[in-house]
Amino acid sequence: MNIGTACGKIILFGEHAVVYGRPALAVPLSQLRARAVVQKGTGAGSVIHARDLGREVEVKDSENDDALGVITRLTLEKLGETENLEIEVSSQIPLASGFGSGAAISTAMVRGIAGYFGRELKPEEISALVYETEKMYHGTPSGIDNTVIAYEQPVRFVRGQEITRFQIARPFTLVIANTGIASPTKITVGDVRRGWEMDKARYEAMFDRVGEIVGEAQDALARGRNNLLGGLMTRNQEVLQELGVSSPEIERLIEAGLRAGARGGKLSGGGRGGNVIFYVEEGGGTERVRDGVMESGARSVIVTRVGE
Ligand code: PMV
């Protein structure tokens, strides 16, 4: 028996524009994890039990667009193994919320299966396998989720380029409020693509603005100038709103967080639901922000330290 786990992730800056070649910054959320327990199979083929998803998958009969079946097949192929397995998948990471739940489940499965055979795959190998399943969830994924989750490190991600870690000179507190609205990334990514196809110049200009914000944020983080982060989040949110991926629920939570003392906030991930993140200064009343967003309809709140 072997257990593989994987963290969730949160995008700090740069979602959507990252699909079009601009940089994005994302960090692992180590306290939220997916888990895959891998044991010797008892039947004629490998079986996956995913109770949280209400699914049981017979790998040999699974469709080519079934991520659980596909990641199992790809991992066994990569390892050159044919043994039948019984895999139990569970996850603390809310689905379709911008925490990278799909990539985390796939990563936990790859690690669990590799470990079962006494093997360890490199982060880049895991990331490449998981990317194949990301395509099923996201349509045209940038690859940011599988990268941050497979490396479990803060990552500056640019599509098609070597990944780099970014520096966080001074750790900071992030409040993450879940809207409770599941919003599949595939839909917002598709809508942004349709907008881009209709008016490329306008969309490219918006993506450039996001790229600049990401550059400034990276610089602020490297210099420990965390006081700039709130304003940068708010600027990034303005562009996300113009891209059409915000929503009244997101706006309401952002207003509530700012009223309660957060220095800036934005949606994180695909948008129209999922999570809103807030930068709260040291000693800046994290509890008040938590209470404020809960009173304004957040389903749940996570307070996390970034850069420790
Ligand atoms: O919704 P999430 O957190 O899985 O992230 C989506 C990020 C996008 O930039 C919107 C899409 C992508 O593939 O990068």
Side-chain angles (χ1 to χ4, degrees):
M1 199 259 274
N2 183 60
I3 299 178
T5 75
C7 62
K9 74 93 196 28
I10 196 101
I11 296 179
L12 296 181
F13 294 97
E15 50 277 274
H16 286 291
V18 71
V19 177
Y20 299 81
R22 274 56 164 198
L25 306 180
V27 291
L29 268 186
S30 297
Q31 74 234 63
L32 286 184
R33 302 197 79 86
R35 193 174 121 105
V37 180
V38 181
Q39 351 194 19
K40 193 175 171 50
T42 48
S46 292
V47 183
I48 305 157
H49 308 279
R51 295 201 173 86
D52 303 340
L53 305 172
R55 302 201 49 216
E56 182 149 323
V57 179
E58 299 270 358
V59 175
K60 65 175 169 21
D61 301 331
S62 64
E63 303 286 336
N64 283 337
D65 61 355
D66 182 320
L68 297 175
V70 168
I71 196 68
T72 306
R73 278 204 291 264
L74 287 176
T75 308
L76 288 169
E77 250 169 61
K78 166 95 188 165
L79 298 168
E81 299 286 351
T82 51
E83 191 181 322
N84 292 333
L85 302 173
E86 181 119 359
I87 305 174
E88 178 106 28
V89 176
S90 58
S91 177
Q92 307 163 316
I93 309 171
L95 298 177
S97 300
F99 287 130
S101 58
I105 289 173
S106 294
T107 301
M109 289 176 73
V110 177
R111 287 189 179 137
I113 296 170
Y116 174 84
F117 293 108
R119 306 268 296 275
E120 197 178 334
L121 296 173
K122 295 196 198 84
E124 62 264 35
E125 293 174 308
I126 299 174
S127 181
L129 289 171
V130 174
Y131 183 71
E132 293 305 310
T133 58
E134 284 291 282
K135 288 188 205 159
M136 297 169 193
Y137 294 116
H138 283 196
T140 53
S142 62
I144 191 167
D145 281 18
N146 45 289
T147 304
V148 181
I149 290 169
Y151 285 80
E152 201 158 343
Q153 286 187 356
V155 162
R156 176 183 194 272
F157 183 88
V158 183
R159 204 170 181 171
Q161 286 183 17
E162 211 162 284
I163 68 141
T164 46
R165 225 197 112 105
F166 64 90
Q167 298 307 315
I168 301 175
R170 282 201 298 130
F172 62 94
T173 300
L174 199 64
V175 174
I176 306 169
N178 193 339
T179 58
I181 299 166
S183 169
T185 301
K186 203 170 185 164
I187 297 185
T188 51
V189 168
D191 287 352
V192 171
R193 181 152 303 266
R194 272 184 288 282
W196 175 79
E197 269 157 9
M198 271 160 35
D199 192 348
K200 287 196 179 142
R202 188 168 146 253
Y203 275 70
E204 288 292 332
M206 289 194 275
F207 299 146
D208 281 341
R209 276 161 64 203
V210 175
E212 273 168 34
I213 293 165
V214 172
E216 288 177 45
Q218 191 183 347
D219 189 60
L221 286 162
R223 291 164 190 260
R225 300 190 64 194
N226 292 358
N227 58 321
L228 299 176
L229 295 176
L232 289 165
M233 281 185 185
T234 299
R235 272 170 61 199
N236 195 160
Q237 172 62 21
E238 280 163 17
V239 187
L240 290 162
Q241 210 175 2
E242 285 174 48
L243 285 170
V245 296
S246 192
S247 70
E249 293 81 4
I250 288 172
E251 302 295 326
R252 191 171 70 226
L253 288 190
I254 292 178
E255 264 172 42
L258 297 181
R259 254 199 328 270
R263 287 305 156 104
K266 62 182 276 295
L267 69 84
S268 173
R272 300 228 186 105
N275 290 294
V276 175
I277 58 174
F278 295 99
Y279 172 70
V280 181
E281 274 181 352
E282 297 304 302
T286 304
E287 284 309 311
R288 268 192 27 196
V289 176
R290 179 203 290 266
D291 293 347
V293 292
M294 284 303 284
E295 276 160 27
S296 292
R299 175 71 54 85
S300 57
V301 176
I302 294 172
V303 178
T304 189
R305 294 283 290 167
V306 177
E308 272 178 344

